[in-house]
Amino acid sequence: MYAKLWLITVGIIVVSTAPATAKCPGRFAVEVLGSGGPLADDARASVGYLVWVDGEARLLVDAGGGVFQRFGAAGAKMTSLDAVLISHLHVDHVSDLVALLKSASFDEAPAPLPLVGPSAGAAFPGLSEFLSAHFDARTGAYRYLARLLNADGDAFRVSAVEIDAGGEGADVAIDDEEIRVKAIPVNHGDVPALAFSVSINGASVVFAGDQSIASEAFERALTGSQSDLLIAHHAISGAKGQPRGLHRDPAAIGDMAAVLGAKRLVLSHNMKRALDDWRVGRKAIRAAYKGPVDLAEDGMCLTLRR
Ligand SMILES: [Zn+2]
């Protein structure tokens, strides 16, 4: 099966994909590949999620350390993906991307795999520059893999789709609107960063990503959206001295879930400093949000449509 993807705002049309095996069943499901953060102290992989549709892995969201192994163990194939969605270019969200692309380069694909990620800002390159820094034929650190950017024919290759991280968001429609993705800027300090809202088969999931409370465009876009699942990142507790300029504390996560009207909240990107204070954090979330709340684990399968 082949799926079409186009970015509505700029009209790019590309084609990707192929079949795969399923371990996370249902018409629409999210598999947590990595439920941890940037510290290697918790036996969790760093951030990564797979979106499964009718038994086929269709989207990969982030690819932090450990996701390479979890992706293979999940039975997913890079060549079945419609796109890879990258929230931002911190190591815990993107360090295994290169390894996954190398793995995919052993396969053939009829068109470039779109990588959707943020534009440049502050000390961070945009997604295109990030890829060039790895794969440029003359200057890339992995120039031996330059074919990932410039191959033709049926060789596996990628294309960058940069989203303006200072804008109001952009719709990415996939497979004739079977899959609809909205990429929405969030505040993560001075790091250009995106959240993603994914709608499939009448259900939706919001990957809120790493974000602080100063994420106005995100709240404007999704207030009252009543997503079936909100995945929020649990990086800090409510205690003093935590980096609130980068992340929402549990009270602010509860506020976000309530404002969106999310039907279920799952906390991922779990860091020890947050988990150690989880009983207090759970109460803080409950103050604003009354729906079900769970902590993600690596390998967890969250079914949205059976
Ligand atoms: Zn992070």
Side-chain angles (χ1 to χ4, degrees), residues 36-38 47 87-88 90-93 188 209-210 233 235 247 269 271:
V47 182
S87 67
H88 64 291
H90 271 162
V91 165
D92 54 319
H93 296 257
H188 187 37
D210 287 10
H233 286 178
H247 295 285
H269 196 293
M271 294 182 68

Side-chain angles (χ1 to χ4, degrees), residues 133-157:
H134 287 87
F135 305 126
D136 182 87
R138 267 193 329 109
T139 59
Y142 299 117
R143 65 196 74 163
Y144 81 103
L145 296 176
R147 64 184 184 277
L148 286 171
L149 294 184
N150 59 24
D152 50 21
D154 285 337
F156 175 85
R157 61 222 186 265

